[in-house]
Amino acid sequence: MSVFQLQCSIFMSLLTKFRSGLKAEIGILFPMFILRVLENVLQPSFLQKMTVLNLLDKIGGDSQIIIDIFVNYDCDVDSPNIFERVVNGLLKTSLGPPSGSTTTLSAVQDIFLRHESVQCLVSIIKSMRAWMDQQLKIGDSDLPRSFESDTSSERPSTSIVEDGVVPDCERPSKGIEFLINTKKVGNSPEEVAAFLKNNTAGLSETVIGDYLGEREEFALRVMHAYVDSFNFKSMDFGEAIRFFLCGFRLPGEAQKIDRIMEKFAERYCKCNPDSFTSADTAYVLAYSVIMLNTDAHNNMVKEKMTKSDFIQNNRGIDDGKDLPEEYLGALYDQI
């Protein structure tokens, strides 16, 4: 997984910064790295597919990359239809395995992948809309002033639009910015993290979780400072997760959960250096515990994960070796 994630990271850098000179290479690598995993609906590696969906979410958020992919590949008769295959792959993943088929995914893993694939489709649609809006603005700038309708004074100051975008004044990042500007909170990530951690009685735990999962640079630094403020020394793994999550609710988006739990795993291993072979083990196990908790307490999941299922799902996660069954069984019983 570490190698695969590194490959995807390098590929994203090539796509973002060097795609103008690498058309042929990207045309080969995109199906090899991304589409091969995306189009595997029945027997996917959950972590590989989550990595690919996270990458596609980043790609989908960049309107120019989306347009360049469509123009350079789907509109070229000698190139693969990458855009079409991405959309179809996301659609098939969002619909889940066909009825009556067998899959390696648990019910909770299937829900995560469906949700994330829909998020990616929404990102792509929003990017296409943003690109088209930009083209229209460019066109409008060439019009004489008399042809432009002067309706700017009638528009609301917030970004409340038909597609349900949250107004700027309600975004947690804007709230943090306001508190910093009015000197209610210090402007360092550590001070903001301390505020979120120590004032949860007056704040929404759901919104705190959403903010901590953001990928913007400042919010990411706040999340790191927040996690680093915990001391998990000598704590049982399940107890540490429970202690960590007592001040906020994990967000619904899989990539946000991914960022938070990856940092948690790193911090837990730093506090308990002899606990696991690597932080990767703690990360996979933390994700597994979160999914077990969702499975156990979500009424929509009818067939609950058994202890043997949980143990089987975590085979080989400790750098290719199995964690002790008694250890995993105790974690299962805690949840």
Side-chain angles (χ1 to χ4, degrees):
M1 267 309 300
S2 298
V3 173
F4 181 74
Q5 288 174 330
L6 183 59
Q7 286 176 335
C8 288
S9 177
I10 293 170
F11 178 69
M12 185 64 188
S13 294
L14 295 177
L15 191 62
T16 304
K17 300 174 184 176
F18 306 108
R19 63 183 180 276
S20 60
L22 295 173
K23 179 182 175 181
E25 290 81 357
I26 288 172
I28 294 169
L29 294 175
F30 208 109
M32 187 186 298
F33 285 157
I34 311 305
L35 297 179
R36 175 179 61 83
V37 176
L38 176 66
E39 293 172 340
N40 185 349
V41 177
L42 291 180
Q43 312 293 327
S45 159
F46 174 72
L47 288 177
Q48 274 197 350
K49 193 144 187 176
M50 278 303 310
T51 300
V52 164
L53 290 173
N54 285 339
L55 186 144
L56 287 175
D57 187 55
K58 293 176 185 175
I59 292 173
D62 189 318
S63 58
Q64 194 58 56
I65 291 181
I66 289 295
I67 298 301
D68 286 352
I69 287 173
F70 178 74
V71 170
N72 282 286
Y73 299 101
D74 294 65
C75 296
D76 184 339
V77 294
D78 297 319
S79 298
N81 287 351
I82 292 177
F83 180 83
E84 180 183 13
R85 286 180 64 183
V86 165
V87 172
N88 284 338
L90 290 170
L91 179 60
K92 288 177 181 176
T93 303
S94 70
L95 294 174
S99 179
S101 62
T102 57
T103 177
T104 56
L105 297 173
S106 69
V108 179
Q109 288 175 334
D110 181 41
I111 290 171
F112 267 99
L113 293 181
R114 289 189 190 206
H115 184 273
E116 187 61 18
S117 59
V118 172
Q119 291 281 352
C120 289
L121 287 167
V122 171
S123 293
I124 291 172
I125 293 169
K126 284 185 175 180
S127 281
M128 293 167 66
R129 171 181 168 170
W131 188 86
M132 198 64 223
D133 285 347
Q134 184 61 31
Q135 305 315 302
L136 292 173
K137 284 179 184 177
I138 292 171
D140 287 346
S141 65
D142 297 330
L143 292 174
R145 291 293 299 178
S146 58
F147 284 87
E148 296 180 6
S149 60
D150 184 18
T151 58
S152 57
S153 61
E154 300 169 14
R155 294 173 185 162
S157 58
T158 56
S159 56
I160 303 175
V161 291
E162 295 80 16
D163 61 356
V165 174
V166 179
D168 284 344
C169 60
E170 292 179 18
R171 295 182 189 277
S173 57
K174 291 293 181 182
I176 294 296
E177 186 181 320
F178 171 79
L179 291 172
I180 291 173
N181 291 338
T182 55
K183 311 297 183 186
K184 305 294 184 186
V185 177
N187 61 1
S188 71
E190 291 76 15
E191 289 170 300
V192 174
F195 169 76
L196 295 177
K197 188 176 178 183
N198 300 323
N199 292 274
T200 49
L203 302 175
S204 165
E205 293 184 2
T206 300
V207 177
I208 292 174
D210 276 336
Y211 180 72
L212 292 176
E214 292 292 343
R215 67 181 176 205
E216 283 78 10
E217 184 183 352
F218 186 77
L220 199 59
R221 288 164 60 199
V222 170
M223 185 268 283
H224 282 210
Y226 184 95
V227 180
D228 285 338
S229 69
F230 284 86
N231 183 6
F232 300 121
K233 187 174 176 60
S234 301
M235 269 194 188
D236 170 79
F237 191 70
E239 179 189 357
I241 293 179
R242 192 174 292 109
F243 178 52
F244 174 56
L245 297 177
C246 66
F248 69 96
R249 284 179 67 90
L250 277 173
E253 295 178 44
Q255 70 265 32
K256 290 188 176 184
I257 299 174
D258 189 68
R259 280 190 284 273
I260 294 171
M261 298 315 292
E262 185 175 24
K263 178 61 182 175
F264 163 80
E266 176 199 297
R267 179 62 180 170
Y268 182 84
C269 288
K270 189 172 183 179
C271 294
N272 301 279
D274 298 325
S275 54
F276 298 105
T277 304
S278 69
D280 284 343
T281 303
Y283 161 67
V284 175
L285 184 59
Y287 220 118
S288 187
V289 168
I290 294 301
M291 288 192 292
L292 173 63
N293 186 74
T294 304
D295 180 279
H297 303 295
N298 189 330
N299 293 330
M300 292 179 64
V301 181
K302 301 303 180 186
E303 294 185 21
K304 301 297 183 182
M305 193 186 308
T306 64
K307 187 180 293 188
S308 59
D309 289 336
F310 180 68
I311 292 171
Q312 182 62 38
N313 289 346
N314 289 288
R315 293 281 186 213
I317 68 170
D318 193 25
D319 200 20
K321 301 187 293 293
D322 294 343
L323 293 170
E325 288 195 8
E326 314 82 67
Y327 179 79
L328 292 174
L331 261 179
Y332 179 91
D333 292 336
Q334 285 180 17
I335 300 300

